[in-house]
Coordinates of all heavy atoms in Angstrom, one line a residue:
M28 N -12.2 11.5 8.8 CA -12.0 10.1 9.3 C -10.5 9.8 9.0 O -9.9 9.1 10.0 CB -12.9 9.2 8.5 CG -12.8 7.8 8.9 SD -13.5 7.7 10.6 CE -13.8 6.1 10.8
I29 N -9.9 10.2 8.0 CA -8.4 9.8 7.7 C -7.6 10.5 8.8 O -6.6 9.9 9.2 CB -8.1 10.2 6.3 CG1 -8.9 9.3 5.3 CG2 -6.6 10.0 6.1 CD1 -8.6 9.6 3.8
R30 N -7.8 11.7 9.1 CA -7.2 12.5 10.1 C -7.2 11.7 11.5 O -6.2 11.7 12.2 CB -7.5 13.8 10.4 CG -7.1 14.7 9.1 CD -7.6 16.2 9.4 NE -7.2 16.9 8.3 CZ -6.1 17.7 8.2 NH1 -5.2 17.6 9.1 NH2 -5.9 18.4 7.1
L31 N -8.4 11.2 11.8 CA -8.5 10.4 13.1 C -7.7 9.1 13.1 O -7.0 8.8 14.0 CB -10.0 10.1 13.2 CG -10.3 9.3 14.5 CD1 -10.0 10.1 15.8 CD2 -11.8 8.9 14.5
I32 N -7.7 8.4 12.0 CA -6.9 7.2 11.8 C -5.4 7.6 12.0 O -4.7 6.9 12.6 CB -7.2 6.5 10.5 CG1 -8.6 5.9 10.6 CG2 -6.2 5.4 10.2 CD1 -9.1 5.4 9.2
A33 N -4.9 8.6 11.3 CA -3.6 9.0 11.5 C -3.2 9.4 12.9 O -2.0 9.2 13.3 CB -3.3 10.2 10.5
F34 N -4.2 10.1 13.5 CA -3.9 10.5 14.9 C -3.7 9.3 15.8 O -2.9 9.2 16.6 CB -5.1 11.3 15.4 CG -5.0 11.7 16.8 CD1 -4.0 12.6 17.3 CD2 -5.7 11.0 17.9 CE1 -3.9 12.9 18.7 CE2 -5.7 11.3 19.1 CZ -4.7 12.2 19.6
I35 N -4.6 8.2 15.6 CA -4.4 7.0 16.4 C -3.2 6.3 16.0 O -2.6 5.7 16.9 CB -5.7 6.1 16.1 CG1 -7.0 6.7 16.8 CG2 -5.5 4.7 16.7 CD1 -8.3 6.1 16.4
V36 N -2.8 6.2 14.8 CA -1.6 5.6 14.4 C -0.4 6.3 15.1 O 0.6 5.6 15.4 CB -1.4 5.6 12.8 CG1 0.0 5.2 12.4 CG2 -2.4 4.6 12.2
L37 N -0.4 7.5 15.2 CA 0.7 8.2 15.9 C 0.6 8.2 17.4 O 1.6 8.3 18.1 CB 0.8 9.7 15.4 CG 1.3 9.8 14.0 CD1 1.3 11.3 13.6 CD2 2.7 9.4 13.8
L38 N -0.6 8.0 17.9 CA -0.8 8.1 19.3 C -0.3 6.7 20.0 O 0.3 6.8 21.1 CB -2.3 8.1 19.6 CG -2.7 8.2 21.2 CD1 -2.2 9.5 21.8 CD2 -4.2 8.0 21.3
I39 N -0.4 5.6 19.4 CA 0.0 4.3 20.0 C 1.6 4.3 20.1 O 2.1 4.0 21.2 CB -0.5 3.2 19.1 CG1 -2.1 3.1 19.2 CG2 0.1 1.9 19.6 CD1 -2.8 2.1 18.4
P40 N 2.3 4.6 19.0 CA 3.8 4.7 19.3 C 4.2 5.7 20.3 O 5.2 5.6 21.0 CB 4.4 4.9 17.9 CG 3.4 4.6 17.0 CD 2.0 4.8 17.7
G41 N 3.5 6.9 20.3 CA 3.8 7.8 21.3 C 3.6 7.4 22.7 O 4.4 7.7 23.6
L42 N 2.5 6.6 23.0 CA 2.4 6.1 24.3 C 3.4 5.0 24.6 O 3.8 4.9 25.8 CB 0.9 5.5 24.3 CG -0.2 6.4 24.3 CD1 -1.6 5.7 24.2 CD2 -0.2 7.4 25.5
I43 N 3.8 4.2 23.7 CA 4.8 3.2 23.9 C 6.1 4.0 24.3 O 6.8 3.5 25.2 CB 4.9 2.3 22.6 CG1 3.7 1.4 22.6 CG2 6.2 1.5 22.8 CD1 3.7 0.6 21.2
A44 N 6.4 5.0 23.6 CA 7.6 5.7 23.9 C 7.6 6.4 25.3 O 8.6 6.4 26.1 CB 7.9 6.9 22.9
A45 N 6.4 6.9 25.7 CA 6.2 7.5 27.0 C 6.4 6.4 28.1 O 7.0 6.7 29.1 CB 4.9 8.2 27.0
W46 N 5.8 5.2 27.8 CA 6.0 4.1 28.8 C 7.4 3.7 28.9 O 7.9 3.4 30.0 CB 5.1 3.0 28.4 CG 5.1 1.9 29.5 CD1 5.8 0.7 29.3 CD2 4.5 1.8 30.7 NE1 5.6 -0.1 30.5 CE2 4.7 0.7 31.3 CE3 3.6 2.8 31.3 CZ2 4.2 0.3 32.5 CZ3 3.1 2.4 32.5 CH2 3.5 1.2 33.3
G47 N 8.2 3.7 27.8 CA 9.6 3.3 27.9 C 10.4 4.4 28.7 O 11.2 4.0 29.5
I48 N 10.1 5.7 28.5 CA 10.8 6.7 29.3 C 10.4 6.6 30.8 O 11.3 6.6 31.7 CB 10.3 8.1 28.8 CG1 10.9 8.3 27.4 CG2 10.8 9.2 29.8 CD1 10.4 9.5 26.7
K49 N 9.1 6.2 31.1 CA 8.8 6.0 32.5 C 9.5 4.8 33.1 O 10.0 4.9 34.2 CB 7.4 5.8 32.6 CG 6.8 5.6 34.0 CD 5.3 5.2 34.1 CE 4.8 5.1 35.4 NZ 5.6 4.4 36.3
L50 N 9.6 3.7 32.3 CA 10.4 2.6 32.8 C 11.9 2.9 33.1 O 12.4 2.5 34.1 CB 10.3 1.4 31.8 CG 9.0 0.6 31.7 CD1 9.2 -0.4 30.7 CD2 8.8 0.0 33.0
M51 N 12.5 3.7 32.2 CA 13.9 4.1 32.5 C 14.0 4.9 33.7 O 14.8 4.8 34.5 CB 14.5 4.8 31.2 CG 14.6 3.9 30.1 SD 15.5 4.6 28.6 CE 14.5 6.0 28.2
R52 N 13.0 5.8 33.8 CA 13.1 6.8 35.0 C 12.8 6.0 36.3 O 13.5 6.3 37.3 CB 12.0 7.9 34.8 CG 12.0 8.9 35.9 CD 10.7 9.6 36.0 NE 9.7 8.6 36.5 CZ 8.4 8.9 36.5 NH1 8.0 10.0 36.1 NH2 7.5 8.0 36.8
D53 N 12.0 5.1 36.3 CA 11.6 4.3 37.5 C 12.9 3.5 37.8 O 13.1 3.1 39.0 CB 10.4 3.4 37.3 CG 9.1 4.2 37.3 OD1 9.2 5.5 37.8 OD2 8.1 3.7 36.9
T54 N 13.6 3.0 36.9 CA 14.8 2.2 37.1 C 15.9 3.0 37.9 O 16.5 2.6 38.8 CB 15.3 1.7 35.8 OG1 14.4 0.9 35.2 CG2 16.6 0.8 36.0
L55 N 16.0 4.3 37.4 CA 16.9 5.1 38.0 C 16.6 5.5 39.5 O 17.4 5.7 40.4 CB 17.1 6.5 37.3 CG 17.7 6.3 35.9 CD1 17.7 7.6 35.1 CD2 19.1 5.7 36.0
F56 N 15.3 5.5 39.8 CA 14.8 5.8 41.1 C 14.7 4.5 42.0 O 14.2 4.5 43.1 CB 13.5 6.5 41.1 CG 13.7 7.9 40.8 CD1 13.1 8.4 39.6 CD2 14.5 8.8 41.5 CE1 13.3 9.7 39.2 CE2 14.7 10.2 41.1 CZ 14.0 10.6 40.0
G57 N 14.9 3.3 41.4 CA 15.0 2.1 42.2 C 13.6 1.4 42.2 O 13.3 0.6 43.1
I58 N 12.7 1.7 41.3 CA 11.3 1.1 41.4 C 11.3 0.0 40.3 O 11.5 0.3 39.2 CB 10.3 2.1 41.1 CG1 10.3 3.3 42.1 CG2 8.9 1.6 41.1 CD1 9.5 4.5 41.8
L59 N 11.1 -1.2 40.7 CA 11.0 -2.3 39.8 C 9.6 -2.9 39.6 O 8.9 -2.9 40.6 CB 12.0 -3.5 40.3 CG 13.5 -3.3 40.3 CD1 14.2 -4.4 40.8 CD2 13.9 -2.9 38.9
Y60 N 9.2 -3.2 38.4 CA 7.9 -3.8 38.2 C 8.0 -5.3 38.2 O 9.0 -5.8 37.8 CB 7.3 -3.2 36.9 CG 7.0 -1.8 37.1 CD1 7.9 -0.8 36.5 CD2 5.9 -1.4 37.8 CE1 7.4 0.5 36.8 CE2 5.6 -0.1 37.9 CZ 6.4 0.9 37.4 OH 6.0 2.2 37.5
S61 N 7.0 -6.0 38.7 CA 7.0 -7.5 38.9 C 7.4 -8.3 37.7 O 8.1 -9.3 37.8 CB 5.7 -7.9 39.5 OG 4.7 -7.6 38.6
P62 N 6.9 -8.0 36.4 CA 7.4 -9.0 35.4 C 8.7 -8.9 35.0 O 9.4 -9.8 34.4 CB 6.4 -8.6 34.2 CG 6.0 -7.2 34.5 CD 6.0 -7.0 36.0
I63 N 9.5 -7.8 35.4 CA 10.9 -7.7 35.0 C 11.8 -7.8 36.2 O 11.7 -7.0 37.2 CB 11.1 -6.3 34.3 CG1 10.2 -6.2 33.1 CG2 12.5 -6.1 33.9 CD1 10.2 -4.8 32.5
P64 N 12.6 -8.8 36.4 CA 13.3 -9.1 37.7 C 14.5 -8.3 37.9 O 14.8 -8.1 39.0 CB 13.7 -10.6 37.5 CG 13.8 -10.8 36.0 CD 12.8 -9.9 35.3
F65 N 15.1 -7.7 36.9 CA 16.4 -6.9 37.2 C 16.2 -5.5 36.6 O 15.5 -5.2 35.7 CB 17.5 -7.6 36.3 CG 17.7 -9.0 36.7 CD1 17.4 -10.0 35.8 CD2 18.1 -9.4 37.9 CE1 17.5 -11.3 36.0 CE2 18.3 -10.8 38.2 CZ 18.0 -11.7 37.3
G66 N 16.9 -4.5 37.4 CA 16.9 -3.1 37.0 C 17.4 -2.9 35.6 O 16.9 -2.2 34.8
W67 N 18.5 -3.5 35.3 CA 19.2 -3.3 34.0 C 18.3 -3.8 32.9 O 18.3 -3.2 31.8 CB 20.6 -3.9 34.0 CG 20.6 -5.4 34.1 CD1 20.7 -6.2 35.2 CD2 20.4 -6.4 33.1 NE1 20.6 -7.5 35.0 CE2 20.5 -7.7 33.6 CE3 20.2 -6.2 31.7 CZ2 20.3 -8.8 32.8 CZ3 20.1 -7.5 30.9 CH2 20.2 -8.8 31.6
L68 N 17.6 -4.8 33.1 CA 16.7 -5.3 32.1 C 15.5 -4.4 31.9 O 15.0 -4.2 30.8 CB 16.2 -6.8 32.5 CG 15.4 -7.5 31.5 CD1 16.1 -7.7 30.1 CD2 14.9 -8.8 32.0
Q69 N 15.0 -3.9 33.0 CA 13.9 -2.9 32.9 C 14.3 -1.7 32.1 O 13.6 -1.1 31.3 CB 13.5 -2.5 34.2 CG 12.2 -1.6 34.3 CD 11.7 -1.4 35.7 OE1 11.5 -2.3 36.4 NE2 11.6 -0.1 36.0
F70 N 15.5 -1.2 32.4 CA 16.1 0.0 31.7 C 16.3 -0.4 30.2 O 15.8 0.4 29.4 CB 17.4 0.3 32.3 CG 18.0 1.7 31.8 CD1 17.5 2.9 32.3 CD2 18.7 1.7 30.7 CE1 17.9 4.1 31.8 CE2 19.2 3.0 30.2 CZ 18.8 4.2 30.8
L71 N 16.7 -1.5 29.8 CA 16.9 -1.9 28.5 C 15.6 -2.0 27.7 O 15.5 -1.6 26.7 CB 17.6 -3.2 28.4 CG 18.0 -3.8 27.0 CD1 19.0 -2.8 26.3 CD2 18.5 -5.1 27.2
V72 N 14.5 -2.6 28.4 CA 13.2 -2.7 27.9 C 12.7 -1.3 27.6 O 12.1 -1.0 26.5 CB 12.3 -3.6 28.6 CG1 10.9 -3.5 28.3 CG2 12.7 -5.0 28.7
G73 N 12.8 -0.4 28.6 CA 12.3 0.9 28.3 C 13.1 1.7 27.3 O 12.4 2.4 26.6
F74 N 14.3 1.5 27.1 CA 15.1 2.1 26.1 C 14.6 1.6 24.7 O 14.5 2.4 23.8 CB 16.6 1.9 26.2 CG 17.4 2.6 25.2 CD1 17.7 3.9 25.2 CD2 17.9 1.9 24.1 CE1 18.5 4.5 24.3 CE2 18.7 2.5 23.1 CZ 18.9 3.9 23.3
I75 N 14.4 0.2 24.6 CA 13.9 -0.2 23.3 C 12.6 0.3 22.9 O 12.3 0.6 21.8 CB 14.0 -1.8 23.4 CG1 15.5 -2.2 23.4 CG2 13.3 -2.4 22.2 CD1 15.6 -3.8 23.7
M76 N 11.7 0.4 24.0 CA 10.4 0.9 23.7 C 10.4 2.2 23.3 O 9.7 2.7 22.5 CB 9.5 0.7 25.0 CG 9.1 -0.7 25.3 SD 8.3 -0.9 26.9 CE 6.8 0.0 26.6
M77 N 11.3 3.1 24.0 CA 11.3 4.5 23.7 C 12.0 4.7 22.2 O 11.4 5.5 21.4 CB 12.3 5.3 24.6 CG 12.4 6.7 24.3 SD 13.9 7.5 25.0 CE 15.2 6.7 24.3
A78 N 13.0 4.0 21.9 CA 13.6 4.1 20.6 C 12.6 3.6 19.4 O 12.6 4.3 18.4 CB 14.9 3.2 20.5
A79 N 11.9 2.5 19.7 CA 10.9 2.1 18.7 C 9.8 3.1 18.5 O 9.4 3.4 17.3 CB 10.3 0.7 19.2
G80 N 9.3 3.7 19.5 CA 8.2 4.7 19.4 C 8.7 5.9 18.7 O 8.0 6.4 17.9
I81 N 9.8 6.5 19.1 CA 10.3 7.7 18.5 C 10.7 7.4 17.0 O 10.5 8.2 16.1 CB 11.5 8.3 19.3 CG1 11.0 8.7 20.6 CG2 12.3 9.3 18.5 CD1 12.1 9.3 21.5
G82 N 11.3 6.2 16.8 CA 11.6 5.8 15.4 C 10.5 5.7 14.5 O 10.5 6.1 13.4
F83 N 9.4 5.1 15.0 CA 8.2 4.9 14.2 C 7.7 6.4 13.8 O 7.3 6.7 12.8 CB 7.1 4.1 14.9 CG 5.9 3.9 14.1 CD1 5.8 2.9 13.2 CD2 4.8 4.8 14.2 CE1 4.7 2.7 12.5 CE2 3.7 4.6 13.5 CZ 3.6 3.6 12.6
F84 N 7.5 7.2 14.8 CA 7.0 8.6 14.7 C 7.9 9.2 13.7 O 7.4 9.9 12.8 CB 7.0 9.3 16.0 CG 6.3 10.5 16.0 CD1 4.9 10.6 16.1 CD2 7.0 11.8 15.9 CE1 4.3 11.9 16.0 CE2 6.3 13.0 15.9 CZ 5.0 13.0 16.0
A85 N 9.2 9.2 13.8 CA 10.1 10.0 12.8 C 10.0 9.3 11.4 O 9.9 10.1 10.5 CB 11.5 9.8 13.3
G86 N 9.9 8.0 11.3 CA 9.7 7.5 10.0 C 8.4 7.9 9.3 O 8.3 8.1 8.1
F87 N 7.4 7.9 10.1 CA 6.1 8.3 9.7 C 6.0 9.8 9.1 O 5.6 10.1 8.0 CB 5.0 8.2 10.8 CG 3.6 8.6 10.4 CD1 2.8 7.5 9.8 CD2 3.0 9.8 10.5 CE1 1.5 7.9 9.4 CE2 1.8 10.1 10.1 CZ 1.0 9.1 9.5
L88 N 6.7 10.6 9.9 CA 6.8 12.0 9.4 C 7.7 12.2 8.2 O 7.5 12.9 7.3 CB 7.3 12.9 10.5 CG 6.5 13.1 11.7 CD1 7.1 14.0 12.7 CD2 5.1 13.7 11.3
L89 N 8.8 11.4 8.1 CA 9.8 11.5 7.0 C 9.0 10.9 5.7 O 9.2 11.6 4.7 CB 11.0 10.7 7.2 CG 12.0 10.6 6.1 CD1 12.5 12.0 5.9 CD2 13.2 9.6 6.5
R90 N 8.3 10.0 5.9 CA 7.5 9.4 4.7 C 6.5 10.4 4.2 O 6.3 10.6 3.1 CB 6.9 8.1 5.1 CG 6.1 7.4 3.9 CD 5.6 6.0 4.3 NE 4.8 5.5 3.3 CZ 3.4 5.7 3.2 NH1 2.8 6.3 4.1 NH2 2.8 5.1 2.2
R91 N 5.8 11.0 5.1 CA 4.7 12.0 4.7 C 5.4 13.2 4.0 O 5.0 13.7 3.0 CB 4.0 12.4 6.0 CG 2.9 13.4 5.7 CD 2.4 14.0 6.8 NE 3.5 15.0 7.3 CZ 3.3 15.7 8.4 NH1 2.2 15.7 9.1 NH2 4.4 16.5 8.8
D92 N 6.6 13.7 4.6 CA 7.2 14.8 4.0 C 7.8 14.5 2.6 O 7.9 15.3 1.7 CB 8.3 15.4 5.0 CG 7.6 16.1 6.1 OD1 6.4 16.4 6.0 OD2 8.3 16.3 7.1
R93 N 8.3 13.2 2.5 CA 8.8 12.9 1.1 C 7.7 12.9 0.1 O 8.0 13.3 -1.0 CB 9.5 11.5 1.3 CG 10.8 11.3 1.7 CD 11.4 10.0 1.7 NE 12.7 9.9 2.2 CZ 13.3 8.8 2.7 NH1 12.7 7.6 2.6 NH2 14.5 8.9 3.1
R94 N 6.6 12.4 0.4 CA 5.4 12.4 -0.6 C 5.0 13.8 -0.9 O 4.7 14.1 -2.0 CB 4.3 11.7 0.1 CG 4.3 10.2 0.0 CD 3.1 9.5 0.4 NE 2.8 9.7 1.8 CZ 1.6 9.8 2.4 NH1 0.6 9.9 1.7 NH2 1.6 9.9 3.7
K95 N 5.2 14.8 0.1 CA 4.8 16.2 -0.2 C 5.9 17.0 -0.8 O 5.8 18.1 -1.1 CB 4.2 16.8 1.0 CG 2.9 16.1 1.4 CD 2.3 16.9 2.6 CE 1.0 16.3 3.0 NZ 0.2 17.0 4.0
G96 N 7.1 16.4 -0.8 CA 8.3 17.1 -1.4 C 8.8 18.2 -0.5 O 9.4 19.2 -1.0
R97 N 8.8 18.0 0.8 CA 9.3 19.0 1.8 C 10.6 18.6 2.4 O 10.8 19.2 3.4 CB 8.2 19.1 2.8 CG 7.0 19.7 2.5 CD 6.1 19.9 3.6 NE 4.6 20.2 3.2 CZ 3.6 20.2 4.1 NH1 3.8 19.9 5.4 NH2 2.5 20.6 3.7
V98 N 11.3 17.7 1.8 CA 12.6 17.3 2.4 C 13.7 17.9 1.7 O 13.7 18.1 0.4 CB 12.7 15.7 2.6 CG1 11.6 15.1 3.5 CG2 12.6 15.1 1.2
Q99 N 15.0 17.8 2.3 CA 16.2 18.3 1.6 C 16.6 17.2 0.7 O 16.1 16.1 0.6 CB 17.3 18.6 2.6 CG 16.9 19.7 3.6 CD 18.2 19.8 4.6 OE1 19.1 19.2 4.5 NE2 17.9 20.8 5.5
E100 N 17.5 17.6 -0.2 CA 18.0 16.7 -1.3 C 18.6 15.4 -0.7 O 18.4 14.3 -1.2 CB 19.1 17.4 -2.1 CG 18.4 18.4 -3.1 CD 17.5 17.8 -4.1 OE1 17.8 16.7 -4.6 OE2 16.5 18.5 -4.3
R101 N 19.3 15.5 0.5 CA 19.9 14.4 1.0 C 19.0 13.3 1.6 O 19.3 12.1 1.7 CB 21.0 14.8 2.1 CG 20.4 15.4 3.3 CD 21.4 15.7 4.3 NE 20.8 16.4 5.4 CZ 21.4 16.6 6.6 NH1 22.6 16.3 6.7 NH2 20.8 17.3 7.5
F102 N 17.7 13.7 1.8 CA 16.7 12.8 2.4 C 15.8 12.3 1.3 O 14.9 11.4 1.6 CB 15.8 13.5 3.4 CG 16.6 13.8 4.7 CD1 16.8 15.1 5.0 CD2 17.2 12.9 5.4 CE1 17.5 15.5 6.1 CE2 18.0 13.1 6.6 CZ 18.1 14.4 7.0
K103 N 15.9 12.7 0.1 CA 15.1 12.2 -1.0 C 15.6 10.8 -1.5 O 16.8 10.5 -1.5 CB 15.1 13.1 -2.2 CG 14.4 14.4 -1.8 CD 14.3 15.3 -3.1 CE 13.5 16.5 -2.8 NZ 13.4 17.5 -3.8
Q104 N 14.6 10.0 -1.8 CA 15.0 8.6 -2.3 C 15.5 8.7 -3.6 O 15.2 9.5 -4.5 CB 13.8 7.7 -2.2 CG 13.4 7.4 -0.8 CD 12.1 6.5 -0.8 OE1 11.5 6.4 -1.8 NE2 12.2 5.7 0.3
K105 N 16.5 7.9 -4.0 CA 17.2 7.8 -5.3 C 16.2 7.3 -6.4 O 15.6 6.4 -6.2 CB 18.5 7.1 -5.2 CG 19.4 7.5 -4.1 CD 20.0 8.8 -4.6 CE 21.1 9.1 -3.5 NZ 21.1 10.5 -3.1

């Protein structure tokens, strides 16, 4: 059960990051979605979504590896 919860916790930010990448790609091809009026704004929203999703995923993995002692000295907390 715990593995399923961890999978869901990682799936949601992964989907958000994928949607952000899709928004940025669609902006480059000139496809705008109705709630966002400008291309640059759509690209910015996509970039923020991608960065937040990848950042959450990376932070989750770093925290897990710190607890298990699998990180280098420079990543260990003081």
Side-chain angles (χ1 to χ4, degrees):
M28 186 66 165
I29 293 175
R30 288 185 184 265
L31 180 64
I32 293 171
F34 176 71
I35 292 171
V36 166
L37 290 177
L38 181 68
I39 293 170
L42 291 174
I43 290 172
W46 184 257
I48 292 170
K49 182 185 181 323
L50 283 177
M51 291 189 302
R52 185 199 64 187
D53 288 346
T54 302
L55 292 177
F56 287 116
I58 302 170
L59 293 177
Y60 291 102
S61 61
I63 304 173
F65 305 111
W67 62 268
L68 184 60
Q69 180 173 313
F70 189 87
L71 183 65
V72 168
F74 182 78
I75 291 170
M76 289 172 66
M77 181 200 62
I81 292 174
F83 183 87
F84 190 79
F87 184 86
L88 292 179
L89 180 63
R90 182 175 176 266
R91 184 193 67 178
D92 288 346
R93 277 183 181 161
R94 281 189 289 147
K95 294 185 178 188
R97 296 184 187 170
V98 294
Q99 295 178 1
E100 288 295 323
R101 64 180 176 167
F102 293 116
K103 292 184 179 180
Q104 289 180 337
K105 307 282 186 223

